[in-house]
Amino acid sequence: MSKLKSKKGNHTSKVAIVGAGFVGSTAAYALLIDGSASEIALIDVNREKAEGEAMDLQHGLQFKPNVKISFGSSYELCKDAEIIVICAGAHQKPGETRIDLISRNSAIFKEMIPQIVKHNSDCILLVVANPLDILTYLTLKYSKFPKSRVFGSGTILDTARFRYMLGEYFEVSPNSVHAYIMGEHGDSSFPAWSTANIAGVNLKHFKKYSRKAMDKLFLKTKNAAYEVIAKKGATYYAIGLGISKIVNSILSDQNEVLALSSYLTNYYGVSDVCLSVPAIVNRQGIKEQILMPLNSLEKKQLRKSASTIKGNLRKCKNC
Ligand code: NAD
């Protein structure tokens, strides 16, 4: 029985976060508030940065006790973690796409993943750094872990942005909107309009529905990261909450459905690539990918995402 299975039901769960920058440290903060981890280890090549972030979190332990905060620059800290969240690497500068980060971040992953795995071969690897789908694929390759235990935060953030905007438009809570952004966590992502609904009722049946308004909302969703980065330099609060949600779903073993990037094998003919589709997640990792009833346009869009990722992987010198 794997370590993950044997610990089911209790709350002694260590989460290691590699990369204590904007995203990693915000995820640590969200995790501290959530309370599902028993230990949060912050690891960064910049030890001072990891220490500073850890100190700031430790000073809040009076208000959120029962969590141990550790830090350092050694991957040895990944030992005994149930989940390792990988936020290390360069982030987009204003005007840069996620794919533009490929050579810098794939070089980091090539060196980093085998070192992490040396200290922990029995955990879930959750990739957050960009380009997300490419780095998830490379993490799977370099770790040699089973496919169920390597996945990326994928379009959980894009989906959250989309639900927020749809919720605003239809005047319902984003929680009551069931709509997914699928494919690449990047410019070729697409909305699964054919299944988007509120309370089981397809969006088309609502009075306020208009094709033009929906297209505008998706465009806003797709460009949201660029807009936030142009205004404040980086995005981190929403993804921090998204990471905390994924970690909580894994540790609480709830079989929750989330839009995550995982390895696809014959998903409408799409294979050997990591892309986001709704997936059931539990303490073992990805339990099952849900085959969405996509229409022909959506299947075409999924194939386009796959060829974008595969084309960039082929061109990548470090991969
Ligand atoms: P950042 O520059 O603030 O932080 C990155 C950190 O990684 C730095 O502290 C750096 O020292 C550290 N680092 C670099 N190489 C390392 C290594 N080998 N081992 C350990 N630490 C290392 O960047 P950020 O804003 O926190 O973004 C991190 C990544 O997350 C970027 O690739 C960004 O594009 C991505 N991101 C993803 C999403 C998503 O939805 N998946 C959202 C926002 C940002």
Side-chain angles (χ1 to χ4, degrees), residues 162 178-182 190-196 292 294 298:
F162 191 46
H178 305 285
Y180 288 96
I181 298 293
M182 295 178 61
F190 65 94
W193 286 122
S194 55
T195 55
M292 299 288 279
L294 301 180
E298 292 159 354

Side-chain angles (χ1 to χ4, degrees), residues 18-24 43-46 49 75 87-92 101 105 108 112 127-130 132 153-154 157-158 185 234-236 239:
V18 183
F22 287 119
V23 174
I43 301 148
D44 201 293
V45 278
N46 179 347
K49 169 80 171 142
Y75 299 115
C87 308
H91 66 256
Q92 292 162 264
L101 303 170
N105 288 350
I108 291 176
M112 176 177 68
V127 178
V128 180
N130 280 315
L132 188 287
S153 57
L157 175 57
D158 318 61
H185 171 57
T235 71
Y236 39 93
I239 186 61

Side-chain angles (χ1 to χ4, degrees), residues 162-173 177 193 196-198 201-210 213-214 217:
F162 191 46
R163 291 180 183 191
Y164 165 73
M165 290 178 202
L166 287 169
E168 284 269 286
Y169 183 81
F170 288 104
E171 296 177 64
V172 297
S173 157
V177 179
W193 286 122
N197 73 82
I198 294 167
V201 180
N202 193 288
L203 299 184
K204 276 190 187 148
H205 300 300
F206 285 81
K207 240 199 234 144
K208 271 191 90 177
Y209 175 88
S210 99
M214 295 303 102
L217 287 183

Side-chain angles (χ1 to χ4, degrees), residues 28-242:
Y29 181 58
L31 274 172
L32 177 63
I33 294 169
D34 176 71
S36 53
S38 60
E39 177 176 350
I40 301 167
L42 276 174
I43 301 148
D44 201 293
V45 278
N46 179 347
R47 194 179 184 282
E48 285 259 298
K49 169 80 171 142
E51 182 170 12
E53 296 293 354
M55 286 169 67
D56 203 1
L57 293 167
Q58 284 162 345
H59 299 162
L61 288 178
Q62 181 197 334
F63 314 111
K64 278 283 162 191
N66 305 324
V67 183
K68 182 181 167 194
I69 309 284
S70 49
F71 67 89
S73 56
S74 165
Y75 299 115
E76 207 179 329
L77 267 173
C78 290
K79 198 167 167 260
D80 294 331
E82 297 217 10
I83 304 165
I84 300 175
V85 186
I86 308 171
C87 308
H91 66 256
Q92 292 162 264
K93 303 215 167 60
E96 267 189 322
T97 69
R98 296 175 179 92
I99 295 280
D100 289 336
L101 303 170
I102 188 169
S103 65
R104 274 169 283 168
N105 288 350
S106 61
I108 291 176
F109 272 56
K110 195 171 195 169
E111 207 185 304
M112 176 177 68
I113 300 299
Q115 291 190 54
I116 291 176
V117 168
K118 233 182 352 190
H119 295 288
N120 191 337
S121 58
D122 193 23
C123 60
I124 285 172
L125 296 171
L126 172 62
V127 178
V128 180
N130 280 315
L132 188 287
D133 305 287
I134 289 175
L135 295 180
T136 304
Y137 185 88
L138 294 176
T139 301
L140 188 60
K141 178 173 150 186
Y142 299 143
S143 66
K144 301 190 178 73
F145 275 20
K147 294 174 181 69
S148 59
R149 286 203 277 125
V150 179
F151 48 96
S153 57
T155 54
I156 194 170
L157 175 57
D158 318 61
T159 295
R161 287 174 174 147
F162 191 46
R163 291 180 183 191
Y164 165 73
M165 290 178 202
L166 287 169
E168 284 269 286
Y169 183 81
F170 288 104
E171 296 177 64
V172 297
S173 157
N175 259 331
S176 302
V177 179
H178 305 285
Y180 288 96
I181 298 293
M182 295 178 61
E184 180 196 2
H185 171 57
D187 295 343
S188 71
S189 66
F190 65 94
W193 286 122
S194 55
T195 55
N197 73 82
I198 294 167
V201 180
N202 193 288
L203 299 184
K204 276 190 187 148
H205 300 300
F206 285 81
K207 240 199 234 144
K208 271 191 90 177
Y209 175 88
S210 99
R211 188 69 255 173
K212 214 168 143 194
M214 295 303 102
D215 289 344
K216 231 165 125 184
L217 287 183
F218 171 59
L219 201 65
K220 251 184 107 179
T221 303
K222 201 165 86 162
N223 291 329
Y226 292 116
E227 207 180 318
V228 176
I229 290 167
K231 290 182 199 299
K232 60 174 268 192
T235 71
Y236 39 93
Y237 293 130
I239 186 61
L241 288 167

